[in-house]
Amino acid sequence: MTWLKYWRKKVHSLNRVQVYIVITVHARFHSHFKELASTGEDSFVIEIPTVSEFAKCICEKYGARMRAMLIDPKTNELNERGTMFVNEKGMRVSAEDTLEDGETITFLVGIAGG
Amino acid sequence: MESRLLRVDLTTGELKSEVIPHSIFERWIGGSGINNWIMWEHFLTHDINCDPRGPDNIFVFGVGPLAGTGAGSGIKGRITFKSPCYNMFGDSAGGGKFPYMLRFTAFEYIAITGKSPKPVYLRICNNEVSLEDASHLWGKDTLQTHTMLREELGTYPSKVHTLSISQAGENQVGIASVVSDALRIHARCGGGAVMGSKNLKAIAVQGNGGLPIAMPDEMLAWSDDFRQKIDSNEAVYGFKRRGTLGAVEMYQHIGSHFWRNNQGNMFRGGEITSDNWVNKYHKYSEVCSSDCFIACDAKYKIDGTESEAAKKYIGESFRRPEYLTTGSAAGALDVRDWAEVAHWGKITNDYGIDNQDLSCAISFLMELKQRKLITDQDVSELFGHEQSLEWGNMDDIEACLHSIVFQKDLFGKLFGDGPYLGAIRYSELKGQNFMKYATYGKGGASFTEEMRPFPTWMNNMAVASRGADHLKGIGLIEKFQRKDLSKIYFDGRTEAADLTVPTLKGASTALIENQVALLNSYGVCLFHWMLDPAGYTPQDYYGKAYAAATGIDRTPDELMLDGARICNLEKAFNSRIGMRREHDTVCERWMWEPTEEGMYPGSVAADMFNPVLDEYYEWRGWDKESGLQTRKSLEACGLDDVAEVLAQEGSLAK
């Protein structure tokens, strides 16, 4: 969905009542993410359907340590160091990626081998 | 930078100290680089096609220049030898305190040749060295050996730190390991069998000397910066808490476990599929490699409350399982109880045996039984008695382990060199081809992770100098789909992070092999780099620490060339013993059998295998048809002398 289409969809004027189209995105937390959130899954209603907005909502709810895990303080982008965020197809998502209503993003630690 | 090498001839009992001059560090960095060179030189005057269990093989221990400096990057020592189980280049890293304690004596490298007429151990106490009778230690496991040596040798000038073998090494089992302080294991390639073949039970070191640091202020500044970087990454705290067990849930999610001899790629059972176990029973770390700011390891004692099965192991104390120990038990063998997984980690360590090779050998046999390709009668012939060979049956699994360690029956004798040779031998014995069920790459046993969806990892399995190895070219970019890293490494291109195309996968292997060769030569743990490969670049960030420690200041490009030189020497070793492109391959299961579960179903290696391998050779500058090095590629990294040796022996590409 392009930004233009999104904003057209998001805001409608109907008899002077403004209707916002929002989406629900599910989060599945594993390992250290799960410990920080104290839960394995959660859902968030977001107004801007991007991964960065989704991450922002998660940080707001779970606080500074979750923020430190999710966001790279230097770049203000998603923290790539020791983490892995994937969609339902197993593909890594980036901050600028668009999300669909009902989609689930899984937050994993990025560790391999031993 | 200078260092000392202790040469030990066990046949004559001669002990000789040599200086390793600065020029050797300039060329080989240290650690695994210098080990490789010592072995290369040895086999210029000894038959490289010798029996790896014979007196002509060499066993080298070395530790890199960053170890013990307080750099905070973890310490890894390295053993190097011709592998008795894979019959090619062999080496293995291990942590603990043994490596840095060796640096506190007068020596940093030990090269052992010949064969002692009776069991001995090598004692190094500062600059005094001796060979001591080890007949009282023979027949003991690694924990008993370590404990006895500590009691015997006292605590002056320091506590004793040991490198030892168990009964498996004494019996020259091909997959026998070498264990540091009875806790940290040099698992791969069968170094334990080499020590056993030389009647060398252990090396015990005590030292209180200092370490020469070329630029101490710079070293401290680097260490400070490193600490701050580590502390600023929240992911590190997760790593401290779980160690590599953090991979359990990630792999369960994407389908990257190695279940039942890789018939599947997800764990089955309740708690075993998550790392909740860590939260329930573990605190933060107590033990790890010395000098590590992360310390991802921890001790664990089974108290019997964990599960019904745990009652069998009450009081058993060991490290908590790391990922590959878990992968071998909960994955390859389908053990579904955490206490049993922990027990598996302890017994494979105490018996000094590689649990990757061992689990692949046992699970191979279990699969034959599951598929009714062998009968109860066949199993009785292998073990001399009935054995259920049920998946997850810990009693059966332990019986298989004892069979191999003590070489007491046919199974032990057939599979003592791991699953590849074991499967060949058993197929010949039964007159049936069972190779379809053996998991291996280049003749080396698989490590217990699913690799079919990951072309870089699969290529690593095929080309690694020591066979089926995930560490030498570890596929971080691809498995974690790190487009950012791909862009950094490949001029803005992102294909290295894309699982669906073969492009830049062979290139990734070549590039990361060079980086890992540097880390292994510095003598540090790989995990800090793995957490932030762009931040802790071996050729740049670590290069500064190397310069501070040694005074050898190199540009990143020069260091990458050093890494390539080290990799090329390992390749040249294998070329000399006749390995060519056809050896750079993987097992039938990976090549042709599609994955059926996880996030990437339908994956087979064959889809991308040859283009990736071709690209790897191209990036190395090697001949694609034969897989051999070219003179030009060797001269490009300053190995003219090596090219000459290969040319004389017909192992250089035409």
Side-chain angles (χ1 to χ4, degrees):
Chain A
M1 184 189 298
T2 64
W3 276 102
L4 186 61
K5 280 184 183 170
Y6 165 70
W7 283 109
R8 279 181 183 155
K9 192 175 171 187
K10 182 172 185 282
V11 184
H12 300 273
S13 289
L14 184 65
N15 296 331
R16 289 189 292 174
V17 176
Q18 208 172 46
V19 178
Y20 285 86
I21 307 295
V22 293
I23 63 169
T24 301
V25 184
H26 308 291
R28 188 174 292 150
F29 300 120
H30 285 286
S31 298
H32 196 51
F33 287 103
K34 185 167 59 184
E35 193 173 339
L36 294 177
S38 301
T39 180
E41 47 194 40
D42 202 350
S43 297
F44 295 82
V45 174
I46 57 175
E47 292 184 2
I48 303 171
T50 60
V51 171
S52 61
E53 179 69 9
F54 185 41
K56 193 174 141 195
C57 291
I58 293 171
C59 293
E60 278 172 9
K61 180 164 181 180
Y62 292 114
R65 288 190 71 189
M66 180 63 91
R67 182 178 175 77
M69 188 73 179
L70 264 181
I71 307 294
D72 186 330
K74 278 188 188 164
T75 62
N76 228 22
E77 298 285 336
L78 289 184
N79 177 24
E80 309 268 17
R81 300 175 301 156
T83 56
M84 169 103 165
F85 319 117
V86 294
N87 64 19
E88 287 157 83
K89 292 175 183 164
M91 296 298 140
R92 186 176 192 119
V93 294
S94 306
E96 66 275 14
D97 287 346
T98 306
L99 295 167
E100 299 288 333
D101 188 37
E103 195 168 351
T104 300
I105 302 296
T106 304
F107 296 85
L108 301 154
V109 296
I111 289 171
Chain B
M1 178 76 191
E2 273 188 2
S3 180
R4 294 197 84 81
L5 163 68
L6 174 64
R7 285 198 186 270
V8 181
D9 183 337
L10 287 169
T11 305
T12 62
E14 187 184 13
L15 302 165
K16 204 167 72 178
S17 170
E18 283 178 16
V19 172
I20 300 178
H22 185 81
S23 59
I24 293 292
F25 283 88
E26 289 267 11
R27 193 179 190 201
W28 298 109
I29 302 293
S32 65
I34 287 184
N35 278 19
N36 292 353
W37 179 245
I38 291 169
M39 182 159 82
W40 175 265
E41 282 200 311
H42 171 79
F43 281 115
L44 293 178
T45 54
H46 294 75
D47 180 10
I48 199 165
N49 292 306
C50 69
D51 174 4
R53 292 177 175 85
D56 278 354
N57 200 359
I58 187 169
F59 179 89
V60 186
F61 183 92
V63 55
L66 287 187
T69 58
S73 50
I75 291 173
K76 294 289 177 191
R78 183 154 291 257
I79 56 175
T80 307
F81 44 90
K82 183 181 177 187
S83 167
C85 50
Y86 308 150
N87 203 31
M88 63 175 100
F89 175 88
D91 71 354
S92 190
K97 294 180 179 167
F98 180 89
Y100 89 69
M101 188 51 70
L102 182 65
R103 290 202 82 192
F104 287 180
T105 71
F107 305 96
E108 290 173 341
Y109 297 84
I110 309 169
I112 299 166
T113 53
K115 179 182 180 178
S116 168
K118 61 174 189 175
V120 291
Y121 73 89
L122 173 65
R123 185 181 184 203
I124 304 173
C125 183
N126 282 331
N127 60 355
E128 292 175 12
V129 294
S130 57
L131 288 168
E132 305 288 345
D133 178 50
S135 51
H136 62 303
L137 303 171
W138 210 250
K140 305 291 189 227
D141 69 26
T142 60
L143 180 58
Q144 291 165 329
T145 302
H146 175 72
T147 307
M148 288 170 74
L149 284 172
R150 280 213 152 172
E151 282 171 7
E152 280 174 37
L153 300 177
T155 56
Y156 185 81
S158 73
K159 278 185 180 173
V160 176
H161 293 281
T162 65
L163 201 67
S164 69
I165 59 171
S166 78
Q167 301 93 329
E170 293 170 10
N171 292 328
Q172 301 178 38
V173 172
I175 58 173
S177 308
V178 176
V179 183
S180 169
D181 282 348
L183 198 65
R184 316 286 306 195
I185 190 161
H186 296 259
R188 306 235 74 177
C189 299
V194 179
M195 278 181 69
S197 73
K198 296 184 177 305
N199 272 329
L200 179 65
K201 178 67 180 176
I203 303 172
V205 298
Q206 289 171 285
N208 62 357
L211 289 181
I213 302 287
M215 296 181 277
D217 290 344
E218 283 82 349
M219 189 78 241
L220 285 171
W222 186 91
S223 184
D224 243 13
D225 184 69
F226 187 61
R227 175 82 187 217
Q228 282 171 30
K229 276 188 163 60
I230 294 274
D231 284 350
S232 68
N233 185 358
E234 177 66 31
V236 168
Y237 293 94
F239 199 40
K240 276 177 186 284
R241 188 126 171 86
R242 291 169 187 78
T244 53
L245 273 184
V248 167
E249 294 192 8
M250 178 198 168
Y251 285 10
Q252 186 71 8
H253 186 77
I254 65 174
S256 193
H257 290 308
F258 182 102
W259 185 71
R260 289 194 176 185
N261 199 31
N262 217 184
Q263 294 180 78
N265 55 33
M266 296 167 84
F267 289 168
R268 270 71 167 176
E271 223 174 30
I272 207 82
T273 62
S274 83
D275 58 25
N276 290 342
W277 184 75
V278 180
N279 291 332
K280 278 166 78 173
Y281 301 113
H282 286 293
K283 304 296 176 197
Y284 275 82
S285 301
E286 296 168 12
V287 293
C288 198
S289 282
S290 303
D291 185 22
C292 177
F293 290 163
I294 293 182
C296 63
D297 200 356
K299 267 189 176 168
Y300 181 58
K301 189 173 183 179
I302 298 173
D303 67 14
T305 61
E306 296 91 340
S307 66
E308 191 58 32
K311 290 174 183 162
K312 285 195 284 185
Y313 312 118
I314 290 174
E316 202 168 273
S317 174
F318 188 56
R319 300 160 57 190
R320 70 169 172 223
E322 48 85 50
Y323 175 70
L324 284 178
T325 290
T326 307
S328 60
L333 300 167
D334 197 12
V335 173
R336 301 186 183 191
D337 182 281
W338 271 115
E340 289 187 327
V341 172
H343 174 67
W344 165 256
K346 176 175 170 52
I347 57 175
T348 50
N349 221 73
D350 287 353
Y351 282 125
I353 200 149
D354 182 351
N355 58 32
Q356 300 300 292
D357 281 86
L358 184 62
S359 65
C360 288
I362 299 171
S363 65
F364 164 80
L365 198 65
M366 285 179 164
E367 186 176 349
L368 296 189
K369 182 81 189 318
Q370 170 206 315
R371 293 180 181 276
K372 300 187 172 27
L373 296 169
I374 55 173
T375 63
D376 289 341
Q377 176 65 29
D378 293 323
V379 176
S380 293
E381 281 172 15
L382 283 168
F383 293 96
H385 53 79
E386 288 182 6
Q387 189 95 282
S388 75
L389 288 181
E390 284 171 8
W391 292 107
N393 183 323
M394 202 60 203
D395 292 336
D396 271 10
I397 291 165
E398 279 202 63
C400 293
L401 180 149
H402 286 133
S403 167
I404 285 183
V405 169
F406 294 102
Q407 292 286 285
K408 58 186 183 185
D409 49 39
L410 186 58
F411 174 73
K413 289 179 171 59
L414 291 173
F415 287 88
D417 290 329
Y420 174 67
L421 284 178
I424 290 174
R425 290 169 186 154
Y426 196 49
S427 296
E428 286 171 357
L429 183 76
K430 303 303 284 184
Q432 286 176 268
N433 185 356
F434 296 131
M435 294 311 288
K436 182 180 172 185
Y437 307 104
T439 50
Y440 60 88
K442 203 173 181 171
S446 168
F447 80 111
T448 52
E449 288 190 24
E450 173 65 83
M451 274 160 286
R452 283 167 284 190
F454 309 108
T456 308
W457 286 70
M458 196 54 81
N459 189 55
N460 295 343
M461 294 301 111
V463 303
S465 58
R466 63 179 184 180
D469 181 35
H470 65 302
L471 288 174
K472 296 222 173 192
I474 189 160
L476 297 171
I477 309 173
E478 165 199 83
K479 190 167 232 172
F480 302 144
Q481 300 171 49
R482 293 282 303 267
K483 285 182 186 166
D484 60 322
L485 289 180
S486 180
K487 283 180 185 171
I488 292 169
Y489 293 153
F490 300 111
D491 294 331
R493 294 172 65 183
T494 58
E495 301 100 295
D498 183 348
L499 297 174
T500 63
V501 297
T503 321
L504 294 185
K505 302 303 186 297
S508 292
T509 299
L511 186 137
I512 292 182
E513 277 181 344
N514 294 348
Q515 292 191 320
V516 168
L518 286 174
L519 293 169
N520 287 338
S521 299
Y522 298 151
V524 300
C525 181
L526 301 186
F527 275 113
H528 308 73
W529 164 74
M530 282 171 61
L531 279 170
D532 187 7
Y536 307 128
T537 47
Q539 69 275 23
D540 193 352
Y541 190 74
Y542 278 99
K544 292 181 175 66
Y546 178 73
T550 63
I552 300 173
D553 198 0
R554 321 279 267 187
T555 66
D557 286 346
E558 286 170 339
L559 281 168
M560 286 301 277
L561 197 61
D562 292 334
R565 186 178 308 119
I566 292 162
C567 295
N568 267 281
L569 194 67
E570 293 177 9
K571 167 76 175 178
F573 183 95
N574 285 335
S575 297
R576 286 187 71 200
I577 59 171
M579 301 191 87
R580 302 291 184 265
R581 180 177 176 128
E582 61 266 29
H583 296 95
D584 288 349
T585 190
V586 296
C587 59
E588 287 179 43
R589 167 153 288 162
W590 292 341
M591 194 65 95
W592 304 112
E593 240 182 68
T595 52
E596 292 179 351
E597 57 186 1
M599 288 207 134
Y600 317 106
S603 304
V604 289
D607 284 346
M608 300 190 209
F609 189 83
N610 281 319
V612 173
L613 186 57
D614 282 345
E615 187 188 66
Y616 173 73
Y617 290 143
E618 277 170 26
W619 275 71
R620 282 275 179 224
W622 300 345
D623 176 54
K624 279 196 274 187
E625 198 176 327
S626 63
L628 289 172
Q629 290 149 300
T630 61
R631 186 177 288 278
K632 191 178 165 191
S633 67
L634 289 166
E635 287 176 351
C637 50
L639 291 175
D640 308 45
D641 50 340
V642 171
E644 213 44 58
V645 172
L646 295 183
Q648 284 167 18
E649 297 182 357
S651 299
L652 193 66
K654 296 202 167 56

